[in-house]
Amino acid sequence: MANTFEKIPTIKYEGAKTTNPLAFRFYDPERMVMGKPMREHLPFAMAWWHNLCAAGTDMFGRDTADKSFGEQPGTMEHAKAKVDTAFAFMQKLGIRYFCFHDVDLVPEAEDICETNRRLDEISDYILEKMEGTDIRCLWGTANMFSNPRYMNGAGSTNEADVFCFAAAQVKKALDLTVKLGGRGYVFWGGREGYETLLNTDVKFEQENIARLMHMAVDYGRSIGFEGDFYIEPKPKEPMKHQYDFDAATAIGFLRQYGLDKDFKMNIEANHATLAGHTFQHELRVSAMNGMLGSIDANQGDLLLGWDTDEFPFDVYDATMCMLEVLRAGGLTGGFNFDAKNRRPSRTPEDMFYGYILGMDTMALGLLKAAELIEDGRIDEFVKERYASFNEGIGAKIRSGETSLEELADYAQKLGAPKMPGSGRQEYLESIVNSVLFG
Ligand code: XLS
Ligand code: NI
Ligand code: NI
């Protein structure tokens, strides 16, 4: 195997002032934050697809990076070289999890039986590599959007045979996830949506997606999968409209079809902004419904309307994210860097710079979020803001001991209602700035 990372040292924490490009500035795995070491707050994962498969091809041009790792792409030797590279990469960075799609691991064959045989072979190889390390799978998934057969969706396809292929892929991907110790299993509805309502029966398609998910839960539990299933909401791309538009929509869907006990959300920062929300909004909606499971840590570009999958760099966003995560008591999943280097960042060193940036940004976000919580002024303000519901008529409303008639009566006696107190937004924003930069 070619040793792609021969010149790269193990990446260590050196502090914010270091000028060493191959060092962490903020991610200090053993540092205690609110009673837990950083590495426990931040279960980072490497995404097989972006890191080991994507080499820069976009709609207008071909690969810029060399991800052959010394072997011929499209062969099992290459698949194994990717495993070797993955483990060398994760070990140098101290990353303990990886995420994969079935077809990230091996070249897909014409015949699904042959693809599955290749998956057995590669997962045996991955298991061997895992031995003696603490590296595990965070989550697995099936790619049900690249193969042309899925042009009209997988669970939402109009073609029953295609639905069966999707079922076969989910079954195999679940087998692999369990075999590799996965904490979760993801459904990202890549083509589960529509281009036009003129040819689409939305109700029928959604019912079929739910049927596929129910079968996945039944099968997963029958082979001993104890983790969470996740929906990863995204409003569009590749389809014009995708059914899992955002967290609120996905949670409603899960409840409607009785899937909410087995599923949680995997929230991706870039998908949140595509849906017209902030990352923080999607995390809050998931958390308040008890469904914040895992995070795809990346960021988009608000000037571009697509999923740019950049490594997170925005410390303000990372801080707001970690505030939600800390308040929710942590994740059952982890932080998967569903992120890729920019096309001109094409060398092996760049793969490291991307992850160092991402890990440092999330670590800084964690430190700042912990400071905001310990500072307490923001939480205290929010508590006070609703204080009128703690006693008197407010308390009665909360406990459901009143009626529209009683409240109308109360209001009529009041004369003019008391004006709500100031929202103090600018003051609160100043607190955030002083914690971030003070
Ligand atoms: C695409 C999604 C995808 C999922 C896994 O936009 O983010 O990469 O995370 O299928
Ligand atoms: Ni995405
Ligand atoms: Ni993602």
Side-chain angles (χ1 to χ4, degrees), residues 266-280:
N266 179 38
I267 296 299
E268 177 164 320
N270 204 163
H271 297 181
T273 51
L274 289 179
H277 301 307
T278 59
F279 184 20
Q280 187 184 12

Side-chain angles (χ1 to χ4, degrees), residues 49-50 100-101 139 141-143 145 186-190 232 234 236-238 266 268 271 274 296 298 307 309 336 338:
W49 54 102
H50 284 312
F100 70 89
H101 301 84
W139 52 255
T141 188
N143 176 327
F145 43 89
V186 163
F187 281 90
W188 167 57
E232 183 180 322
K234 186 179 183 183
K236 57 185 169 190
E237 197 205 75
N266 179 38
E268 177 164 320
H271 297 181
L274 289 179
D296 271 11
N298 63 13
D307 205 9
D309 288 343
N336 167 46
D338 194 351

